[in-house]
Amino acid sequence: MSRRPSAVLAALVLAGAALLTACGPAGHQAPGAGAADSSQVQDMQHKLDAAESAAAQADSDAAADGN
């Protein structure tokens, strides 16, 4: 198995965790924060899920190709 897809996946997971931690509900939202922030978090989550899926597919393809 190739190391590159695994490294990409690890980087995406770490970046996603950092984003979700920074953007997640911490109980200290700024006044006016709400629906817009929630939709941004959901959008980021969808992008992260898509990136993780693509990385997993690349990893699977590399394994199938014998790399």
Side-chain angles (χ1 to χ4, degrees):
M1 182 171 12
S2 175
R3 286 185 172 194
R4 188 169 186 196
S6 297
V8 170
L9 181 59
L12 288 172
V13 169
L14 290 174
L19 285 172
L20 291 176
T21 301
C23 298
H28 302 299
Q29 288 189 342
D37 288 342
S38 177
S39 67
Q40 284 180 323
V41 171
Q42 288 177 351
D43 185 45
M44 293 298 285
Q45 183 63 49
H46 289 298
K47 289 178 181 179
L48 178 61
D49 291 343
E52 288 176 340
S53 177
Q57 184 63 45
D59 215 13
S60 175
D61 290 348
D65 290 340
N67 291 335

